[in-house]
Amino acid sequence: MLELYIPVGKQRLRCGYTTGTCAAAAAAGAARLLLTGEAIPSVQVDTPAGVKVEAELLEHAAGENWASCAVRKDGGDDPDVTHGVLICARVERRTAPGVAIDGGVGVGRVTRPGLDQPVGQAAINSVPRRMIATQVERVMAEAGCADGLTVTIYVPQGEKLAAHTFNPRLGIVGGISILGTSGIVRPMSEAALIDSLYLEQDMARAAGVKDLLVTPGNYGDAFATQVLGLELTYRCTCSNYIGAAIDHAAGLGFSSLLLVGHLGKLVKVAAGGMNTHSRVADGRRETLTAHAALAGGSPELLRALFDSPTTDAGVELLKKAGLLEPVMVSVGAALEDQLRHRAGPELEIEAVFFSNQYGILGKTSGADRLLALHRV
């Protein structure tokens, strides 16, 4: 069990670790068993969040030129459907050098473009793949292994669990995804998250801040700093609770609020969804398709957009059709209307939305003025 706690609102909640961290730990344990014959009880994984996770290794097994073990997923105080599930790794020798990574039973396979992995690949996202490779390469170096290894991640309960996720809708078939950008699961209690959101705003206002920067989370933070060059000292993280962030900021008397977020989240706001959690508001494809229709998109394009698994895939379709700019202008206008209606006349509110591949996709009409206020 990971003994890492964070204050979330008025609560102190325990963090967990992702399926990606579990896969990396299981792969390291299996590699050590294969290369040294040692079935170690646990392994330490360095996560991208900078937190070291000591994961218990279970179900050691070995045969000629292969070994396997498992790690039990720990969701902390915010368990999802994978909490307590065994994430397993089988490691085999191969003649080619390096570490090859694939998915086995219970790990989904990508069938549509626009996701983190290309069509045909196992749904093991990029960060977990790097974590797995790093852990296994470390074991290989310590054991003096000059050959290559194949790592197969599998989840015995994965296919059954996938029915309770969005994977079937995204075109990921046969199991769950191996996920995680930080390696750590942070608790997601709704009441506690909203308390934290309010507390961040209260502190910023008490510090004399008048112009508030708001991002939904890691993607928005990274884009705000690395691409837009914004100062994040007093930014507020709103998660899915954009409406709550606007309401509290207006009540505290901030002069302005600049919202920076990924298209996949803010296109929901453009349709009036002020809580953007997928269980509450997931009209991304419907909204994008409607704006493409307004811009004159063909029936074929509209059907393809409606069937797109992600907004990034939709952006690619719009770009190929020569309609990306007019559709994003239309989305931006709708977003502006929704934000201003929610904020009321006293709070100036603007937004910037982006995709990781194409950068800035759109801005509301006064966003440039607020961007200048937040640049370093």
Side-chain angles (χ1 to χ4, degrees):
M1 188 174 71
L2 180 63
E3 294 294 338
L4 174 66
Y5 295 84
I6 59 172
V8 181
K10 299 174 183 178
Q11 303 179 47
R12 185 171 176 265
L13 301 181
R14 189 176 67 83
C15 296
Y17 40 84
T18 63
T19 51
T21 296
C22 294
R32 185 170 296 279
L33 178 57
L34 173 64
L35 298 178
T36 70
E38 183 183 6
I40 56 177
S42 66
V43 67
Q44 189 177 85
V45 176
D46 296 323
T47 66
V51 176
K52 295 183 184 297
V53 170
E54 188 77 22
E56 183 183 10
L57 298 175
L58 307 168
E59 301 198 354
H60 296 83
E64 186 175 357
N65 291 323
W66 69 270
S68 66
C69 65
V71 169
R72 195 172 298 281
K73 168 71 185 301
D74 176 12
D77 281 334
D78 183 40
D80 60 13
V81 296
T82 62
H83 178 67
V85 170
L86 288 177
I87 309 296
C88 311
R90 178 184 172 104
V91 177
E92 302 171 78
R93 294 183 184 272
R94 66 178 194 146
T95 55
V99 178
I101 299 168
D102 201 0
V105 171
V107 172
R109 187 98 16 201
V110 177
T111 66
R112 294 184 191 172
L115 298 172
D116 181 271
Q117 293 296 304
V119 171
Q121 291 295 308
I124 304 172
N125 279 9
S126 299
V127 173
R129 285 178 182 269
R130 289 196 294 271
M131 293 174 67
I132 292 165
T134 297
Q135 292 295 128
V136 172
E137 287 166 356
R138 183 178 300 164
V139 174
M140 293 169 68
E142 292 172 357
C145 175
D147 298 328
L149 297 178
T150 296
V151 179
T152 303
I153 305 300
Y154 61 100
V155 183
Q157 295 177 260
E159 189 166 5
K160 181 179 179 181
L161 291 173
H164 302 285
T165 73
F166 280 93
N167 275 11
R169 182 169 170 178
L170 295 174
I172 298 173
V173 301
I176 65 168
S177 300
I178 304 300
L179 302 171
T181 56
S182 69
I184 298 298
V185 175
R186 293 183 175 274
M188 295 290 285
S189 160
E190 180 169 338
L193 279 172
I194 292 176
D195 282 346
S196 288
L197 157 66
Y198 291 167
L199 180 60
E200 283 188 328
Q201 291 190 1
D202 293 346
M203 292 175 65
R205 197 71 188 91
V209 174
K210 295 181 179 180
D211 301 291
L212 187 66
L213 174 64
V214 174
T215 66
N218 292 337
Y219 285 159
D221 283 356
F223 193 83
T225 55
Q226 297 169 17
V227 178
L228 299 177
L230 305 186
E231 168 61 52
L232 296 189
T233 302
Y234 288 109
R235 69 90 173 77
C236 168
T237 302
C238 67
S239 185
N240 292 301
Y241 310 108
I242 292 172
I246 295 170
D247 294 346
H248 198 65
L252 289 175
F254 283 98
S255 299
S256 71
L257 188 156
L258 176 62
L259 177 63
V260 177
H262 190 278
L263 173 66
K265 196 165 288 287
L266 297 199
V267 75
K268 298 180 186 181
V269 182
M274 293 293 169
N275 178 340
T276 59
H277 196 289
S278 56
R279 289 196 298 265
V280 177
D282 195 26
R284 293 169 295 174
R285 62 177 186 167
E286 293 85 353
T287 306
L288 205 56
T289 302
H291 285 281
L294 291 172
S298 68
E300 294 78 15
L301 173 63
L302 300 182
R303 170 48 63 184
L305 281 171
F306 192 78
D307 290 338
S308 295
T310 64
T311 52
D312 283 340
V315 166
E316 180 69 24
L317 290 169
L318 291 169
K319 185 174 177 62
K320 288 179 180 177
L323 287 177
L324 182 57
E325 183 175 353
V327 171
M328 292 301 105
V329 168
S330 182
V331 169
L335 176 62
E336 184 168 317
D337 287 345
Q338 294 289 352
L339 291 175
R340 292 188 178 174
H341 177 73
R342 185 68 178 240
E346 302 301 323
L347 176 64
E348 181 182 2
I349 189 164
E350 304 291 346
V352 178
F353 53 98
F354 64 90
S355 84
N356 293 329
Q357 183 174 357
Y358 292 105
I360 295 175
L361 293 173
K363 306 174 188 175
T364 54
S365 60
D368 284 333
R369 192 190 82 78
L370 295 192
L371 282 167
L373 297 178
H374 293 281
R375 289 212 164 93
V376 177

